[in-house]
């Protein structure tokens, strides 16, 4: 929207001073030309009014200087042409001295009053323009939602109001970057970017700097919003007009509007990102729930049915069918474990794993894992070294027992058949350690970290049951407890998986 | 396997038809009468009309929380309740046990495990009138009338707290007891301080009565829930 068109009244600044003075002289000449024939008919004093009119016109349209010139010229021409003796500056009738003085005084007062009025109107008009410009920008910003639109709109509005180049800079990966430019064909050189960054980092914008700006450089001010600096605004300072208080206020008004709009856009973006994340989490939860429910439910019936068949008196069944049932039952249970692993890994990755902590005795924990380990009929004997008197740890017992079971199973899978496994616990400073040590040949050093990766399998090992999730789940659970899971090749041979937990998390 | 069980009237509460069906088939084959309910309100209604001997209750019901069903049922019925829940509802499980359910089993389960639970809870309800003063299992003897605990004929000295814990476990032998249930019976109310005391005393108790405290075969830990004194002799 454009400011309302100003009347020609008071707009004399657009004309050059010489032309204005010339116009004032012409006006006096015009008045004299009109008066001269008339003064033969009417009394000369009456023609003073015509000269007064000239002074008023000069004051209104041409400014203070030309109107004073008009006043003085009027008095002189009046005397020269219209007062006896004519064509001479001498005055016969002394009463005309009074007329001269009156004309001069009235002219001067008029011209000064009019010029004062004019400057006030000019200020009001300027303010009106500024208000209109600010409200136009604020309206445009209300309509713009995307950061890009906002910045384009800002650059265009400010550039139009000040009739000069405007740029907007926003922080990027490496300091401020050009985000909008009212003259897009131009670019900012690195020195300019460095200057803008300096202003942004120090959050400065003092107009005194205007004086030291070299030609071709822009003047930068920081865009400040409620949460701090959000960017910088650059404007071409040529002709120093920015230093005028009204201009300066307008510029800062624009800067404030811009800062608020940028902040609003940032907040809106954050809100929408949070919403997306929330939706993703909801989806993930729903997926987890449906996996857990929809896949588990048939498994419950299958496992239950198979177990019921297995437990019916064996004499009613052929030995072959007994074995088939056993296979089916074990496989159903394995499927259930795999399903559990998949659920665990997705819970860990989506961050929806919730620990329910309770004080736990490490020997008790070992007992739970061992009971499940022996249920699975591994041939390896497990030797336990847990000294009495270890402090209780705050753990999710179910999850941590599963970690321990995973480690025991891994040891059983990769160590020599039926070789013993050591399970030990000890305390060192503010840490508790649980170690599962096997007599296997350990892991090549380059894989020590990789074994915790999802679906990782050591190359050159024969395929072993499982998805390759056990260790990454275990690591996730231990880390959720604020601990560490370490893989250690023992120098004397054998391999240790070590759970390290803080005593006071 | 069901030789030691009289025919029972069992109410199966589960919204999954397949689960009700396999339970009906396999329990029916053992001579039990099976009642079915697919939601909580139906369960309460059937329980009131048919007076089942025991209930199998799923926690995730479409209309009502299984915990709520337990609570309402316990207002007027003493019939044993066995919770059948999926693995990721530990906290609900404890709530249901504290609300009066007798035991729980995690899905999927084998029929053998289920019937063992049934025997455990029935033993307790049938015995509660006149509890056997001497408990024997895995070489351990607990004589509640004389306050004497012995293992393979050798008397074991327990602290008063250890004895109280063991006594509670013996009274509810075969049945799971939540931490809270043991704490309130041994110490009265309270939880935080006592939760630690319970673990420490349990550890000491196991060292005294178990053959191998790292492989307990008397007092079994139900992770996240509580403890159970195993019944096998």
């Amino acid at each position: 929207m454009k400011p309302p068109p100003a009347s020609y009244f008071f707009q004399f600044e657009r004309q050059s001073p010489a032309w204005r003075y010339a116009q004032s002289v012409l006006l006096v000449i015009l008045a004299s030309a009109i008066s001269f024939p008339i003064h033969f008919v009417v009394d000369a004093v009456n023609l003073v009014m015509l000269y007064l009119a000239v002074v008023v016109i000069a004051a209104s349209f041409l400014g203070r200087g030309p109107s004073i010139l008009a006043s003085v010229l009027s008095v002189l021409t009046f005397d020269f042409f219209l007062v006896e003796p004519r064509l001479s500056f001498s005055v016969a009738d002394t009463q005309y001295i009074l007329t001269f003085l009156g004309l001069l005084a009235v002219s001067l007062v008029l011209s000064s009053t009019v010029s004062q009025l004019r400057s006030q109107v000019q200020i009001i008009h300027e303010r009106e323009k500024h208000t209109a410009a600010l409200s136009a920008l604020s309206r445009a910003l209300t309509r713009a939602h995307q950061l890009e639109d906002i910045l384009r709109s800002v650059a265009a509005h400010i550039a139009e109001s000040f009739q000069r180049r405007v740029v907007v800079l926003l922080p990027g990966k490496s300091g401020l970057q050009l985000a909008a430019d009212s003259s897009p064909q131009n670019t900012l050189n690195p020195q300019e970017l460095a200057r803008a960054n300096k202003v942004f980092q120090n959050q400065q914008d003092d107009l005194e700097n205007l004086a030291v700006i070299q030609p071709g450089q822009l003047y930068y001010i920081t865009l400040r919003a409620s949460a701090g600096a959000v960017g910088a605004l650059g404007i071409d300072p040529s002709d120093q007009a920015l230093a005028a208080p009204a201009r300066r206020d307008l510029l800062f008004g624009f800067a404030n509007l811009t800062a608020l709009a940028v902040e609003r856009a940032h907040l809106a973006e954050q809100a929408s990102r949070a919403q997306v994340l929330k939706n993703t989490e909801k989806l993930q939860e729903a997926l987890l729930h449906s996996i857990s429910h929809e896949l588990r439910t048939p498994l419950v019936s299958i496992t239950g049915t198979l177990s019921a068949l297995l437990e019916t008196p064996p004499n009613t069944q052929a030995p072959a069918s007994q074995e088939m049932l056993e296979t089916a039952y074990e496989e159903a249970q394995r499927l259930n474990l795999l399903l559990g692993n998949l659920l665990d890994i997705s819970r860990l990755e989506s961050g929806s794993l919730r620990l329910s902590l309770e004080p736990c005795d490490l020997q008790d924990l070992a007992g739970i894992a061992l009971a499940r380990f022996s249920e699975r009929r591994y041939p390896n004997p497990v030797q336990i070294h847990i000294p009495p008197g270890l402090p209780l740890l705050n753990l999710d017992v179910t999850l941590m027992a599963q970690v321990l079971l995973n480690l025991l199973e891994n040891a059983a899978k990769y160590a020599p058949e039926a070789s013993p496994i050591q399970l030990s616990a000890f305390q060192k400073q503010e840490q508790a350690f649980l170690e599962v040590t096997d007599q296997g040949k350990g892991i090549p050093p380059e894989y020590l970290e990789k074994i915790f990766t999802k679906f990782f399998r050591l190359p050159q090992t024969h395929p072993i049951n499982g998805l390759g999730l056990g260790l990454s789940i275990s690591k996730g659970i231990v880390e959720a407890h604020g601990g560490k899971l370490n893989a250690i090749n023992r120098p004397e041979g054998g391999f240790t998986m070590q759970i390290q937990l803080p005593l006071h998390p | 396997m069901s030789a030691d069980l009289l025919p029972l009237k069992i109410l199966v509460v589960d919204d999954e038809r397949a689960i009700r069906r396999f339970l009906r088939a396999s329990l029916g084959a053992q001579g039990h009468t099976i009642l079915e309910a697919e939601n909580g309100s139906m369960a309460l209604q059937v329980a009131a009309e048919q007076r089942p001997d025991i209930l199998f209750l799923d926690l995730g019901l479409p209309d009502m929380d299984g915990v709520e069903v337990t609570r309402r049922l316990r207002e007027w019925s003493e019939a044993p309740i066995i919770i059948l829940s999926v693995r990721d509802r530990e906290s609900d499980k404890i709530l249901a046990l504290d609300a009066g359910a007798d035991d729980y089993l995690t899905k999927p389960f084998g029929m053998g495990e289920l019937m063992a639970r049934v025997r455990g809870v029935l033993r307790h309800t049938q015995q509660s009138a006149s509890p056997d003063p001497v408990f024997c299992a895995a070489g351990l003897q607990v004589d509640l009338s004389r306050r004497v605990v012995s293992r393979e004929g050798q008397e074991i000295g327990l602290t008063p707290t250890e004895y109280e814990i063991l006594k509670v476990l013996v009274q509810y032998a075969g049945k799971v007891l939540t931490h809270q249930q043991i704490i309130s019976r041994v110490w009265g109310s309270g939880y935080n301080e006592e939760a630690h005391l319970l673990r420490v005393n349990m550890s000491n108790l196991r060292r005294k009565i178990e053959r191998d405290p790292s492989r307990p075969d008397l007092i079994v830990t139900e992770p996240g829930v509580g403890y159970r004194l195993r019944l096998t002799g």
Side-chain angles (χ1 to χ4, degrees):
Chain A
M1 180 164 157
K2 288 195 162 193
S7 63
Y8 183 71
F9 195 51
F10 302 137
Q11 293 299 301
F12 50 78
E13 288 94 337
R14 290 180 188 166
Q15 304 161 9
S16 73
W19 171 233
R20 280 189 269 140
Y21 281 99
Q23 283 182 84
S24 124
V25 173
L26 284 174
L27 277 172
V28 175
I29 292 170
L30 184 68
S32 307
I34 297 168
S35 327
F36 194 71
I38 301 174
H39 95 279
F40 296 108
V41 194
V42 297
D43 194 5
V45 176
N46 295 316
L47 293 169
V48 168
M49 292 304 150
L50 198 62
Y51 286 97
L52 272 181
V54 164
V55 171
V56 170
I57 292 168
S60 305
F61 292 98
L62 305 175
R64 192 183 169 86
S67 76
I68 291 172
L69 178 67
S71 312
V72 174
L73 277 181
S74 296
V75 170
L76 291 178
T77 37
F78 184 67
D79 177 21
F80 193 74
F81 291 110
L82 305 180
V83 175
E84 299 289 343
R86 289 192 191 98
L87 306 174
S88 139
F89 288 111
S90 61
V91 177
D93 193 345
T94 48
Q95 65 171 337
Y96 279 108
I97 299 292
L98 208 62
T99 311
F100 295 157
L101 286 177
L103 178 60
L104 192 61
V106 168
S107 306
L108 288 177
V109 168
L110 251 178
S111 72
S112 110
T113 310
V114 167
S115 84
Q116 259 178 29
L117 182 66
R118 192 187 51 220
S119 76
Q120 268 167 22
V121 169
Q122 200 185 336
I123 288 168
I124 290 168
H125 183 70
E126 184 107 330
R127 277 205 195 126
E128 205 174 77
K129 251 170 52 185
H130 290 179
T131 313
L134 280 172
S135 77
L137 177 61
S138 115
R139 260 198 307 280
L141 290 181
T142 316
R143 282 196 300 270
H145 296 293
Q146 301 293 320
L147 190 59
E148 229 173 82
D149 299 341
I150 288 174
L151 297 178
R152 209 179 308 123
S153 180
V154 163
H157 269 84
I158 304 180
E160 193 188 314
S161 287
F162 287 95
Q163 293 297 320
R164 61 193 71 201
R165 181 187 180 201
V166 170
V167 296
V168 184
L169 300 109
L170 293 185
K173 282 188 195 92
S174 52
L176 288 180
Q177 282 166 352
L178 188 61
D181 194 335
S182 63
S183 49
Q185 67 277 14
N186 291 346
T187 50
L188 280 187
N189 59 37
Q191 288 93 324
E192 280 296 285
L193 271 179
R195 288 186 55 241
N197 267 306
K198 201 175 146 220
V199 169
F200 177 66
Q201 273 150 22
N202 303 332
Q203 300 214 13
Q204 59 182 176
D205 37 35
D206 62 289
L207 283 162
E208 283 159 26
N209 284 344
L210 271 178
V212 298
I213 287 176
Q214 311 288 320
Q217 291 183 335
L218 296 182
Y219 169 66
Y220 297 99
I221 61 179
T222 312
L223 295 173
R224 274 195 218 91
S226 60
V230 294
L233 184 84
I235 186 162
D236 183 356
S238 56
D239 79 15
Q240 303 286 312
L242 291 176
R247 288 286 175 121
R248 179 204 155 102
D249 287 349
L250 179 64
L251 182 62
F252 284 99
F254 278 139
N256 287 339
L257 271 180
T258 310
L260 287 177
V262 169
E263 190 180 50
R264 192 196 60 182
H266 282 329
L267 290 177
E269 202 180 316
Q270 274 171 21
S272 83
R273 222 179 292 146
Q275 186 61 40
V276 169
L277 205 65
K278 212 170 133 197
N279 289 344
T280 317
E281 268 170 22
K282 262 191 201 156
L283 190 71
Q284 202 134 21
E285 290 263 318
L287 201 64
L288 285 180
H289 181 80
S290 84
I291 288 178
S292 147
H293 192 253
E294 300 303 327
L295 294 184
R296 276 263 164 78
T297 305
L299 261 181
V300 173
S301 311
I302 294 169
T303 314
T305 309
L306 291 171
S307 75
L309 287 174
L310 269 173
E311 284 155 15
T312 46
N315 53 4
T316 59
Q317 286 168 17
S321 67
Q322 179 79 10
E323 204 172 329
M324 288 191 284
L325 281 174
E326 264 168 32
T327 314
Y329 182 65
E330 277 161 22
E331 291 302 291
Q333 280 189 316
R334 199 158 74 86
L335 199 53
N336 184 48
L337 286 178
L338 294 179
L339 197 55
N341 275 348
L342 279 177
L343 273 171
D344 283 336
I345 198 81
S346 33
R347 271 207 201 95
L348 276 167
E349 296 206 328
S350 69
S352 61
L353 183 86
R354 280 176 284 270
L355 300 180
S356 69
L357 299 176
E358 55 172 307
C360 173
D361 171 31
L362 288 184
Q363 188 166 50
D364 196 356
L365 186 74
I368 299 165
L370 276 175
R372 294 200 199 142
F373 182 71
S374 46
E375 265 173 32
R376 299 188 189 176
R377 298 191 195 124
Y378 289 100
N380 312 59
V382 181
Q383 293 160 1
I384 296 159
H385 315 277
I386 301 178
L390 284 179
L392 299 181
L393 293 179
N394 253 334
L395 300 176
D396 185 310
V397 178
T398 316
L399 292 176
M400 201 52 85
Q402 195 198 327
V403 172
L404 211 47
L405 177 63
N406 284 346
L407 301 187
L408 287 170
E409 287 195 309
N410 262 350
K413 281 178 192 168
Y414 293 101
E417 178 91 12
S419 62
I421 298 168
Q422 316 289 327
L423 171 57
S424 47
F426 56 93
Q427 176 192 352
K428 211 158 103 187
Q429 282 142 6
E430 289 297 285
Q431 306 279 321
F433 295 85
L434 267 167
E435 292 185 346
V436 174
T437 303
D438 63 41
Q439 297 182 351
K441 52 187 189 305
I443 286 172
E446 65 266 32
Y447 293 124
L448 275 179
E449 279 304 311
K450 276 200 180 143
I451 53 169
F452 296 109
T453 329
K454 256 192 309 183
F455 304 115
F456 176 80
R457 284 242 177 66
L458 281 174
Q460 294 140 15
T461 50
H462 48 274
I464 288 177
N465 288 345
L467 293 176
L469 287 176
L471 280 183
S472 68
I473 292 171
S474 301
K475 186 180 165 73
I477 292 174
V478 172
E479 283 172 357
H481 282 83
K484 274 191 243 166
L485 185 58
N486 308 313
I488 304 161
N489 283 319
R490 299 193 88 90
E492 69 272 23
F495 175 70
T496 295
M497 289 295 295
Q498 182 190 60
I499 304 172
Q500 182 183 345
L501 291 166
L503 282 183
H504 309 288
Chain B
M1 56 154 285
S2 59
D4 53 336
L5 277 177
L6 295 169
L8 294 167
K9 200 193 273 183
I10 302 172
L11 173 54
V12 177
V13 188
D14 200 311
D15 58 330
E16 287 297 330
R17 208 177 69 86
I19 292 174
R20 295 201 307 271
R21 196 172 118 192
F22 104 78
L23 284 173
R24 187 178 61 216
S26 81
L27 293 168
Q30 295 175 28
H32 304 296
T33 309
I34 309 301
L35 307 169
E36 292 175 33
E38 61 185 33
N39 56 47
S41 47
M42 206 168 143
L44 290 171
Q45 194 192 331
V46 175
E49 288 167 2
Q50 310 270 333
R51 303 280 167 157
D53 300 314
I54 188 166
L55 286 94
F56 298 161
L57 178 62
D58 177 39
L59 281 183
L61 294 173
D63 63 332
M64 200 188 293
D65 198 344
V67 180
E68 184 60 26
V69 177
T70 308
R71 218 170 267 143
R72 293 209 199 163
L73 204 67
R74 275 289 170 264
E75 287 170 9
W76 55 270
S77 168
E78 286 296 311
I81 300 171
I82 295 176
I83 299 294
L84 303 179
S85 78
V86 287
R87 193 191 62 154
D88 41 338
R89 300 194 69 146
E90 245 89 33
S91 55
D92 290 357
K93 209 152 64 189
I94 298 168
L95 284 178
L97 290 170
D98 283 337
D102 294 83
D103 215 322
Y104 77 95
L105 198 55
T106 302
K107 288 175 176 178
F109 51 84
M111 288 306 290
E113 293 172 277
L114 180 60
M115 295 324 285
R117 293 285 195 276
V118 171
R119 277 192 294 277
V121 298
L122 285 179
R123 179 187 185 275
H124 168 63
T125 42
Q126 283 156 7
Q127 279 189 354
S128 56
S130 56
D132 193 345
V134 183
F135 171 87
C136 296
L140 183 80
Q141 269 209 333
V142 183
D143 187 336
L144 294 179
S145 59
R146 290 169 47 229
R147 293 179 74 94
V148 172
V149 181
S150 54
R151 132 141 261 141
E152 273 130 21
Q154 199 110 31
E155 198 173 314
I156 301 169
L158 297 182
T159 67
T161 309
E162 287 161 11
Y163 178 77
E164 283 304 313
I165 293 172
L166 184 58
K167 191 175 102 183
V168 173
L169 288 168
V170 166
Q171 281 166 345
Y172 295 89
K175 182 178 167 316
V176 68
L177 286 170
T178 64
H179 297 123
Q180 187 56 57
Q181 283 169 338
I182 301 175
I183 287 165
S184 63
R185 282 172 175 83
V186 174
W187 285 277
S189 57
Y191 188 76
N192 284 334
E193 193 75 357
E194 287 76 8
H196 276 84
L197 285 175
L198 175 61
R199 268 71 170 192
V200 173
N201 277 287
M202 190 60 80
S203 165
N204 294 338
L205 182 59
R206 276 177 168 155
R207 280 179 210 285
K208 291 177 181 175
I209 66 169
E210 296 280 0
R211 278 195 197 101
D212 178 354
S214 295
R215 292 182 176 82
D217 48 20
L218 282 163
I219 304 174
V220 181
T221 301
E222 298 285 341
V225 178
Y227 302 96
R228 178 197 305 277
L229 185 63
R230 204 180 266 169
L231 266 179
T232 49

